[in-house]
Amino acid sequence: MFEGFTLLGAGIAHFMTPEGLFNLAWASLLGVVIGALPGLTATMGVALLVTLTYKMPPDQAILCLMALYVGAIYGGSRSAILLAIPGTPASAATTLDGFPLARAGKAGMAMGIATTSSALGTLVGIAFLSLIAPLLAEFALRFGSYEFFWLALFGVLISGRLTAIDDPLKGYVAGLLGLLVAMIGMEGLHAYQRFTFGISSLGSGVDLIPAMVGAFGFAEILGVMKDRITPKLVTSDDRVLPRLSDLTRYWRTTIRSGIIGTIAGIIPGVGEDIGSWASYAAARRKSKEADQFGKGSVEGLVAAETGNSAVIPGAMIPTLTLALPGSASAAVLIAAMFIHGIRPGPMLMQENPQFLYQIVGILLLSTIAITIYGLSLTKLLVRVLLVPREKLMPVVYVLCVVGSFAITQRMFDVYVMVAFGLIGFVLRQMRYPMAPLVLGIILGDLLDVNLRRGLLISDGDVTPFFTRPISAVLFAVILITVLMSMPAINRGVANVFKRFSPNGAN
């Protein structure tokens, strides 16, 4: 325990330098602005910034990316409260009570509550990250090729299941498309080129960054060009700094939402929006003022903002220990870590134990930064929202092109970005989620290599994939997840429970 405190102190002190504090300040503020502007998501912001931090030292690059991530998830609450338009999907639940409070003349109070709730949610998640991540990393050392195969498949499927709740099949299809894209290029065991169709540039595969920038950035540009929104701004003239009673009144909701958000972050590919909605739903069920939810409930606002912010440190638990992204933005962070020579996964605590505590330090410092910005720059952030998002899209397009080209200096990567932007736009119009697609590209190599390595070890026998204890559990979870997403089976299970429940028996 004392060693953990020592490493945590060293992790915080590592960034308490003029360079570190400067990078923290501008990246957090940029994240808040990106989050506040409708159409610019946290994932897109992190993806674009990866390309701009390529030449930075690894620790400072990760600091910038994490600070922007935290700031963007928080920043979405600004436009959610003032415009009834969530700046990021994570802030969708915030609009239900934030905007009614703003229309009732309490915009300042709502933004103050959202700021402190976001900070408290992140702190709850940080506590779990510090406690769970070392234990999970130690447990993950028991994983072999068989377990990693099922783990990669589980990550893609659970992402598809939980990001496309209305139609899980679309989530599965998006994830499988990502896995197919990951198969393009030279495979890892025998250096044999697959699915290149004679195109030499595809020999090294489809690079993650151009694909990600296209799916999240260029696709968003096309979406803005198609659907223009003219929002009506509600201004803020009341008190922003919340009273102590406002913070202590809903302490149970804060703790509950923080735990729910952290759990949502731990599940690979779920993301902040699910954490926010799950926290909001739980708060409404437990509240004595449930009738006020959706009409300007402070408790509802606290639940939504605490839940989505707690997902961030929660998402870093599987990201750092298993190399499985807990959210779409965490998927980009994994790519950035590999680019900067940091290998997340079971060996991280053995090879680079201080890195986990540096991440904890970054999260703590970023939380302090967004709290300061949120409580002191409300008037300035309101003015930022006056910028029409259509005028921002040319800047985003330039960043997409430059970012895709800068890493390898190949025009082919720009073409990949455009292609994935068009594909992403079409899929979005048909309501296919993008997170499973990106997650499939990231985890495809892990799935492919461990499947074939496992078959080599067992001399072609598939039995170990189903008989080893951890593999059997993962397979069972995957099978149950897929079966429960089928409407007929779901209804059948519901009917069985209804039949054997006390009310059903009567």
Side-chain angles (χ1 to χ4, degrees):
M1 180 179 290
F2 290 107
E3 182 184 0
F5 282 117
T6 302
L7 289 172
L8 176 58
I12 297 173
H14 182 77
F15 297 104
M16 297 296 289
T17 62
E19 180 185 16
L21 294 175
F22 174 73
N23 287 331
L24 173 74
W26 71 258
S28 298
L29 182 59
L30 179 61
V32 174
V33 172
I34 287 174
L37 292 169
L40 302 183
T41 65
T43 306
M44 184 175 71
V46 176
L48 292 175
L49 189 60
V50 168
T51 61
L52 303 179
T53 58
Y54 188 62
K55 296 292 185 181
M56 295 178 68
D59 56 341
Q60 296 299 320
I62 301 301
L63 168 66
C64 294
L65 295 169
M66 287 294 302
L68 185 141
Y69 181 17
V70 174
I73 295 301
Y74 159 72
S77 65
R78 310 294 88 178
S79 54
I81 293 170
L82 296 175
L83 305 177
I85 301 173
T88 62
S91 299
T94 303
T95 61
L96 298 182
D97 291 296
F99 188 65
L101 283 169
R103 294 192 67 179
K106 300 178 181 178
M109 183 198 77
M111 289 194 286
I113 292 292
T115 300
T116 52
S117 297
S118 293
L120 291 173
T122 308
L123 292 177
V124 172
I126 287 172
F128 280 96
L129 172 61
S130 303
L131 294 172
I132 296 175
L135 300 176
L136 185 59
E138 186 176 345
F139 174 74
L141 291 174
R142 304 178 187 177
F143 283 34
S145 296
Y146 310 104
E147 289 78 15
F148 275 115
F149 165 76
W150 289 119
L151 197 63
L153 185 60
F154 172 73
V156 175
L157 290 179
I158 200 68
S159 173
R161 175 71 179 89
L162 294 171
T163 55
I165 294 176
D166 295 334
D167 190 355
L169 182 60
K170 290 186 176 181
Y172 298 153
V173 169
L176 291 174
L177 283 175
L179 290 175
L180 290 174
V181 171
M183 298 299 110
I184 298 174
M186 190 177 295
E187 53 86 27
L189 293 183
H190 303 292
Y192 182 80
Q193 290 195 3
R194 305 176 298 187
F195 310 116
T196 58
F197 304 104
I199 302 173
S200 58
S201 298
L202 285 176
S204 58
V206 175
D207 284 347
L208 175 63
I209 295 300
M212 197 156 33
V213 169
F216 287 106
F218 190 58
E220 189 66 41
I221 295 172
L222 298 176
V224 170
M225 291 170 62
K226 179 180 180 293
D227 302 315
R228 295 195 174 191
I229 300 175
T230 306
K232 294 182 179 180
L233 184 69
V234 177
T235 58
S236 167
D237 296 315
D238 60 321
R239 176 189 177 95
V240 176
L241 189 66
R243 297 179 176 86
L244 183 61
S245 59
D246 296 329
L247 302 179
T248 57
R249 182 179 178 185
Y250 301 112
W251 65 271
R252 290 186 181 86
T253 301
T254 299
I255 295 174
R256 185 196 312 116
S257 301
I259 294 173
I260 292 173
T262 304
I263 294 172
I266 292 173
I267 300 173
V270 174
E272 295 81 12
D273 48 343
I274 303 296
S276 179
W277 283 112
S279 301
Y280 187 85
R284 186 171 185 173
R285 283 197 304 270
K286 297 288 185 179
S287 177
K288 298 177 181 178
E289 308 167 352
D291 59 319
Q292 295 300 313
F293 276 60
K295 302 175 183 177
S297 168
V298 173
E299 186 176 7
L301 179 61
V302 168
E305 281 300 301
T306 304
N308 66 27
S309 292
V311 171
I312 300 173
M316 298 311 296
I317 294 174
T319 297
L320 295 174
T321 58
L322 301 175
L324 287 178
S327 66
S329 299
V332 186
L333 286 169
I334 286 181
M337 290 176 192
F338 278 107
I339 288 172
H340 287 284
I342 300 167
R343 294 177 55 199
M347 294 302 297
L348 179 68
M349 292 300 293
Q350 306 295 322
E351 298 173 350
N352 194 4
Q354 70 273 15
F355 182 70
L356 168 64
Y357 294 96
Q358 288 178 3
I359 292 292
V360 174
I362 291 171
L363 288 170
L364 285 170
L365 294 173
S366 300
T367 301
I368 295 171
I370 65 167
T371 303
I372 294 172
Y373 288 140
L375 297 179
S376 63
L377 298 180
T378 297
K379 307 295 182 183
L380 176 62
L381 293 173
V382 167
R383 290 185 172 274
V384 168
L385 294 175
L386 295 173
V387 180
R389 62 178 188 161
E390 289 82 2
K391 294 185 178 180
L392 293 169
M393 289 302 112
V395 178
V396 175
Y397 175 71
V398 170
L399 291 175
C400 287
V401 174
V402 172
S404 301
F405 179 79
I407 293 180
T408 57
Q409 287 84 46
R410 296 191 308 170
M411 275 303 297
F412 179 76
D413 287 333
V414 178
Y415 303 147
V416 169
M417 182 273 294
V418 174
F420 273 85
L422 294 171
I423 293 170
F425 173 72
V426 173
L427 290 176
R428 285 186 185 196
Q429 296 304 304
M430 296 188 293
R431 299 189 178 278
Y432 283 82
M434 288 295 98
L437 174 68
V438 173
L439 201 57
I441 298 174
I442 294 172
L443 298 179
D445 184 62
L446 180 70
L447 182 145
D448 176 48
V449 169
N450 283 289
L451 171 63
R452 293 187 297 125
R453 184 180 291 145
L455 291 173
L456 284 174
I457 294 172
S458 64
D459 198 21
D461 184 10
V462 299
T463 305
F465 284 95
F466 303 96
T467 56
R468 287 165 62 102
I470 299 177
S471 292
V473 171
L474 289 172
F475 169 70
V477 171
I478 290 171
L479 185 62
I480 292 170
T481 300
V482 173
L483 290 176
M484 291 302 294
S485 65
M486 298 179 181
I489 294 178
N490 221 338
R491 286 194 300 268
V493 172
N495 289 335
V496 169
F497 277 108
K498 185 177 180 180
R499 185 175 179 181
F500 287 98
S501 66
N503 294 333
N506 293 332

